[in-house]
Amino acid sequence: FRPTAPFGGRPPAAATRRCLVVHVTLMASVRDWHPFAAGLTAGACNVLVGHPLDTLKVRVQTCGSLPDGAPGYRSLLAGIRGPLLTTPFIGGLNFGLYDTIRNRLAASFPSLCVGVGDAGFGDAPLSPNMLNIFVSGTLGGFAVCHITCPMNNVKVQQQTMQAGQSVGLKEAAFRVGVRGLFKGYMPHAVMESFGRGFYMVGFELSKKCLGVDARGGGGAMDLPKRIVCGSIGGAVAWLAVYPVDTLRSRLMRDWQGTKYVDTWDCLSKTLREEGLRGLYRGLSYSLLRAVPVAGVTLTIFDLMLNALRS
């Protein structure tokens, strides 16, 4: 099956307008600022802990291997300025939308979206089941992906440039146009939406299995368990959607369009030239990054949210 529109292209204008309506509707329904504040703090920690390893991952995905010689620490921070200025706010929006959608689904569709016999979810009166958590994470990630796609394009180009070179959002928009900043939109949307769903399900399911937040829970003993649960959530998400992330990185690096036409073309050339293994290049760096980053990010979000609501 080959869609009539380029699978690796940009979102149609009508689809963009519909997404904008969804964003405005969701934001209008928000009443609780706590998850947004907790997500902002978690997002800042995410960048500080994970960006150097993210740079290594992108370079392996797009170049096949790391350059000769050990990369300097400054080169590993290439492109961090944009994420550091924006990711905390995007993290707040992402976590905030997730929490809002999760609670509204639990209240609106209790027979479908509420677990049976659960002990409770934070201070929420209803306990969302895993279907609710997956859908909420997916919708929250999809809503935010339209903001993060241009930023990710610039980040990937900065991370794969030679030492001493740099490009900002303004320069990138000037050379490729605003529409060009949405190159790789489809794999980016899949990565940010479904990846977020697996991320939150892995975290919450692990918490449930280890008894974190259960009635009569272990208090201080919950902290190491919570970090382990966050690490599991990050690993689950990357294992589930990593091939899509590889396609996204390669499409975004090829900003001139000299190598790949669209996502299908990128996928077919990668499989033909490198086999299935090519889709998993850099996976070790991603897992090395995902374990500590997700453990810190999700733990801080949980603890901050509980502190603010209590």
Side-chain angles (χ1 to χ4, degrees):
F1 170 72
R2 185 181 181 88
T4 54
F7 195 37
R10 303 103 180 161
T16 303
R17 287 194 295 270
R18 286 195 296 271
C19 291
L20 184 60
V21 172
V22 171
H23 295 175
V24 173
T25 303
L26 285 172
M27 293 308 297
S29 68
V30 171
R31 296 291 183 271
D32 185 7
W33 59 270
H34 298 124
F36 293 89
L40 188 147
T41 306
C45 296
N46 182 302
V47 177
L48 293 173
V49 175
H51 189 84
L53 286 170
D54 182 66
T55 298
L56 292 176
K57 182 262 296 183
V58 169
R59 290 177 180 175
V60 172
Q61 283 179 325
T62 57
C63 304
S65 62
L66 291 175
D68 294 335
Y73 186 70
R74 290 192 64 180
S75 71
L76 295 179
L77 297 179
I80 194 175
R81 183 182 303 174
L84 195 57
L85 293 174
T86 57
T87 298
F89 298 98
I90 292 171
L93 181 61
N94 209 329
F95 278 113
L97 290 176
Y98 159 74
D99 188 79
T100 300
I101 296 170
R102 184 196 69 189
N103 290 331
R104 289 181 68 87
L105 285 176
S108 302
F109 307 99
S111 62
L112 184 64
C113 296
V114 176
V116 178
D118 286 341
F121 192 93
D123 66 345
L126 299 174
S127 177
N129 59 18
M130 293 304 139
L131 174 63
N132 183 344
I133 291 168
F134 180 77
V135 171
S136 301
T138 299
L139 292 179
F142 180 71
V144 174
C145 82
H146 303 88
I147 304 172
T148 58
C149 189
M151 296 163 48
N152 211 72
N153 262 287
V154 175
K155 178 179 73 71
V156 168
Q157 292 175 38
Q158 289 176 331
Q159 289 174 321
T160 54
M161 281 182 167
Q162 297 295 326
Q165 294 181 326
S166 181
V167 62
L169 182 61
K170 182 178 178 180
E171 291 81 2
F174 181 77
R175 68 181 184 179
V176 301
V178 175
R179 290 172 64 87
L181 292 175
F182 284 89
K183 183 166 186 178
Y185 166 80
M186 187 59 68
H188 180 77
V190 171
M191 174 73 190
E192 294 297 315
S193 57
F194 291 104
R196 194 75 181 184
F198 286 115
Y199 186 64
M200 299 311 302
V201 165
F203 179 51
E204 296 298 343
L205 187 59
S206 300
K207 283 170 57 179
K208 192 171 182 179
C209 292
L210 294 180
V212 179
D213 290 338
R215 294 188 186 277
M221 290 298 295
D222 276 353
L223 179 58
K225 289 183 180 180
R226 204 182 298 270
I227 294 174
V228 170
C229 293
S231 301
I232 293 173
V236 167
W238 278 108
L239 289 172
V241 297
Y242 191 81
V244 180
D245 182 61
T246 298
L247 298 178
R248 175 179 70 169
S249 294
R250 295 188 175 194
L251 282 166
M252 289 181 174
R253 189 200 182 202
D254 183 37
W255 60 273
Q256 293 176 303
T258 57
K259 189 171 182 179
Y260 306 116
V261 177
D262 53 33
T263 305
W264 287 116
D265 184 51
C266 182
L267 175 62
S268 62
K269 286 181 177 178
T270 299
L271 291 176
R272 183 170 61 251
E273 296 170 5
E274 305 174 53
L276 188 62
R277 186 177 180 180
L279 294 175
Y280 288 91
R281 285 193 181 278
L283 178 60
S284 58
Y285 291 105
S286 290
L287 292 178
L288 185 63
R289 170 186 178 273
V291 169
V293 170
V296 169
T297 301
L298 290 170
T299 298
I300 289 179
F301 170 72
D302 247 13
L303 296 178
M304 281 288 295
L305 184 60
N306 291 337
L308 289 172
R309 284 179 168 171
S310 62

